[in-house]
Amino acid sequence: MNINMFKSGDSLLEVKGPSLDELPPVQELPLPPNFVWGAATAAYQIEGGAYQDGKGKSIWDTFSHLEPSRTNGENGDVACDHFNRVAEDVKLMASYGMEVYRFSIAWTRIIPLGGRHDPMNEQGISFYNNLIDQLLLHHIEPVVTLYHWDCPQEVYDRYGAFLNKEEFQADFEHYARICFSRFGDRVKKWVTFNEPYIIAIFGHHSGVLAPGHSTATGRDSRTEPWQVGHTLILSHAAVVQAYTTDFQISQKGEISIVLNGHFYEPWDPSSDLHIEAAQRRLEFYIGWFGDPIFLGQDYPETMKSRLGDRLPRFTTGELELLRRLAPHNAFYGMNHYSTKYARALPGPPADDDCTGNVEEGSTDCQGKEIGPATGMPWLRVTPVGFRKLMKWVWDRYHVPIIITENGCPCPGENKMTLEQALDDKFRVRYIGLYLDAISHAINEDGVQVLGYYVWSLMDNFGTLYTVFDSSLPIGL
């Protein structure tokens, strides 16, 4: 997710709310001595080099060049030019004292057309070999995400990508096996998918992210998101099975997935209706993927009862595979930025409801705002909610957590001079409070949190969608 660039015309969106000074001061509470520090990025958002050295086209290359533009006329053709600046970028990481760098591989640099019968691109493999070697030379651990939203366009054109479970699973596993074979001697921590919720809902329900499917574009928002989620879960399982069966013993690495999610407080904490809505929203958001992957179970009962035949069914064999593989998901990758209020909606849900008939927002029943505004309307400073989410995930899954993304944009940032922007006390305060929340979670709640990767290493390519539904985290 990109949370650095969020423009409306020429000005950064500013949302009035409670002051940051109303929050407690940063205490710099202790974290374990083996706690790991890093930063994260995504290939399409920083690499550039869109047409260099044999790279193929992804759905984001297509989406960001649509006319009329869906991305404010911007694209990732150059972005941060990381493709041509690897050496200096890694030196920059080392100067920060980074211990971990989480990055994603662009599938279309490895297999330009994406499919299991298509040729590999040795130039693309060389690029990532060099990046990994540079990181290790500077004592920075590479953590590699196989898929961060940039499906090969040819895979999408051939069979609709995630909408064809069997074909996508086979192609994704083939791509993953190449990455394990070529990089796994040095990469010891793998992520299959980044934020499957966003892929399913934003790509195939609201349509604000690639490939842009929605009812407005003639697609079926009633069923597509759940079909996509089903494919992602089973494709994750296929790759975990491939890694643990054929690579893990010799390479001695580990693998899992990264899930994003807000925490939800009830809109009216005195009402069982809204208390239940907050729990239901967490299950529709996080339990959707977390329960099958980390528990080896079927979808949450709240989803099954409310979605009915819109929700695909796991076969007996698929559920057995998920149960067998659940212990092999070595960590819970948590992308988290903010907390919202959850309000149970009166009346029946919309035909294409994807929230569990829950409305999200930043204001409760008494008009109280959940936290100070950042540079985005949906992202409020709510470290207490972060602590609660870590405990919720730990209590439900009992898997060590790595904070794989966290950060915020400063209000009015693009109106500042460079010197003013670099004096980013707001961001320092936000990160300090969220780190204190991690300390509370570890030392008082018994949650196992292994590390923290800030988002993002650099001010990367991002997009704005003029959508003011606060349930949608807007951006790339």
Side-chain angles (χ1 to χ4, degrees):
M1 185 180 297
N2 180 297
I3 59 166
N4 291 322
M5 187 172 68
F6 189 78
K7 299 178 183 176
S8 178
D10 294 324
S11 63
L12 198 71
L13 289 178
E14 296 181 24
V15 182
K16 296 186 182 301
S19 166
L20 197 63
D21 292 334
E22 295 178 31
L23 294 170
V26 176
Q27 296 178 275
E28 298 187 9
L29 298 173
L31 291 164
N34 59 346
F35 194 82
V36 178
W37 301 91
T41 63
Y44 186 74
Q45 297 179 43
I46 69 158
E47 282 183 4
Y51 310 104
Q52 288 183 245
D53 288 359
K55 179 186 173 294
K57 181 183 285 189
S58 78
I59 57 174
W60 263 101
D61 291 304
T62 299
F63 190 75
S64 64
H65 286 84
L66 292 176
E67 295 293 343
S69 177
R70 303 287 295 277
T71 55
N72 276 359
E74 301 182 18
N75 58 64
D77 290 359
V78 177
C80 301
D81 201 26
H82 177 67
F83 183 77
N84 297 301
R85 297 174 179 267
V86 166
E88 61 186 275
D89 287 346
V90 173
K91 288 178 182 176
L92 186 67
M93 297 178 211
S95 73
Y96 293 153
M98 279 173 52
E99 298 173 306
V100 171
Y101 176 45
R102 176 188 168 227
F103 63 94
S104 75
I105 291 176
W107 186 341
T108 53
R109 285 203 195 280
I110 306 300
I111 312 172
L113 298 179
R116 56 196 181 277
H117 304 300
D118 296 320
M120 290 191 299
N121 176 29
E122 291 294 338
Q123 289 176 295
I125 290 170
S126 294
F127 168 74
Y128 292 110
N129 270 325
N130 177 52
L131 170 58
I132 292 165
D133 289 344
Q134 291 280 335
L135 291 168
L136 294 174
L137 183 65
H138 289 83
H139 309 291
I140 300 169
E141 177 190 1
V143 173
V144 174
T145 301
L146 293 168
Y147 185 88
H148 196 127
W149 306 355
D150 50 354
C151 178
Q153 182 64 42
E154 183 67 19
V155 163
Y156 173 81
D157 290 341
R158 286 173 183 168
Y159 54 81
F162 320 101
L163 297 174
N164 187 320
K165 180 183 68 176
E166 290 75 16
E167 287 294 317
F168 182 85
Q169 180 175 312
D171 282 344
F172 184 64
E173 180 182 338
H174 173 74
Y175 156 64
R177 283 179 175 275
I178 291 172
C179 292
F180 298 150
S181 298
R182 295 302 192 96
F183 312 126
D185 58 327
R186 290 152 294 155
V187 174
K188 304 306 176 186
K189 195 174 265 85
W190 295 93
V191 170
T192 54
F193 293 104
N194 179 78
E195 300 182 342
Y197 180 94
I198 301 297
I199 300 167
I201 298 298
F202 285 60
H204 297 81
H205 185 276
S206 65
V208 296
L209 300 183
H213 289 198
S214 69
T215 301
T217 62
R219 308 299 298 221
D220 183 4
S221 296
R222 185 177 180 275
T223 61
E224 276 195 12
W226 317 111
Q227 187 178 352
V228 169
H230 202 70
T231 295
L232 292 170
I233 290 166
L234 293 172
S235 298
H236 165 83
V239 168
V240 170
Q241 179 174 241
Y243 183 74
T244 56
T245 301
D246 296 336
F247 298 94
Q248 192 171 45
I249 292 175
S250 61
Q251 295 182 353
K252 298 180 176 20
E254 55 187 22
I255 191 166
S256 195
I257 195 167
V258 163
L259 305 182
N260 65 304
H262 310 300
F263 187 71
Y264 292 92
E265 299 281 9
W267 180 73
D268 180 353
S270 68
S271 164
D272 288 343
L273 186 69
H274 300 296
I275 292 171
E276 290 168 5
Q279 173 68 16
R280 185 165 69 249
R281 188 67 190 103
L282 284 166
E283 291 179 351
F284 263 71
Y285 207 135
I286 295 171
W288 177 10
F289 299 97
D291 285 14
I293 289 170
F294 293 104
L295 297 178
Q297 294 181 178
D298 204 347
Y299 294 115
E301 288 299 324
T302 50
M303 295 184 69
K304 291 165 66 177
S305 63
R306 286 178 172 268
L307 295 173
D309 61 4
R310 294 169 60 194
L311 191 65
R313 300 286 191 267
F314 292 113
T315 67
T316 301
E318 289 166 347
L319 280 173
E320 176 54 37
L321 177 66
L322 290 169
R323 279 192 290 270
R324 182 163 53 81
L325 293 176
H328 293 282
N329 294 281
F331 57 91
Y332 181 104
M334 179 183 286
N335 289 0
H336 174 80
Y337 296 94
S338 195
T339 296
K340 297 182 179 182
Y341 290 115
R343 173 177 173 259
L345 288 169
D351 188 52
D352 66 345
D353 171 54
C354 66
T355 66
N357 208 25
V358 175
E359 180 184 67
E360 308 177 9
S362 299
T363 306
D364 70 4
C365 63
Q366 296 182 338
K368 176 185 175 183
E369 298 201 33
I370 202 159
T374 67
M376 289 186 180
W378 63 269
L379 204 168
R380 302 302 184 101
V381 186
T382 48
V384 172
F386 181 36
R387 176 181 175 181
K388 290 180 180 179
L389 181 63
M390 286 183 281
K391 188 173 190 311
W392 190 90
V393 166
W394 175 255
D395 288 347
R396 194 173 183 99
Y397 302 127
H398 293 285
V399 178
I401 297 169
I402 300 173
I403 308 306
T404 40
E405 287 185 24
N406 178 250
C408 78
C410 300
E413 203 162 30
N414 75 325
K415 297 178 181 177
M416 301 175 184
T417 65
L418 176 60
E419 291 73 19
Q420 289 171 328
L422 289 173
D423 186 27
D424 55 353
K425 293 183 176 65
F426 188 100
R427 186 176 289 109
V428 170
R429 184 83 176 277
Y430 172 98
I431 290 175
L433 289 170
Y434 276 61
L435 291 174
D436 281 350
I438 295 174
S439 179
H440 284 301
I442 293 172
N443 295 309
E444 297 171 39
D445 303 332
V447 181
Q448 188 175 356
V449 186
L450 305 179
Y452 177 91
Y453 311 160
V454 72
W455 185 270
S456 172
L457 174 67
M458 47 187 98
D459 189 13
N460 51 15
F461 165 78
T463 54
L464 166 71
Y465 308 93
T466 52
V467 178
F468 293 95
D469 177 354
S470 62
S471 70
L472 301 179
I474 306 167
L476 176 66

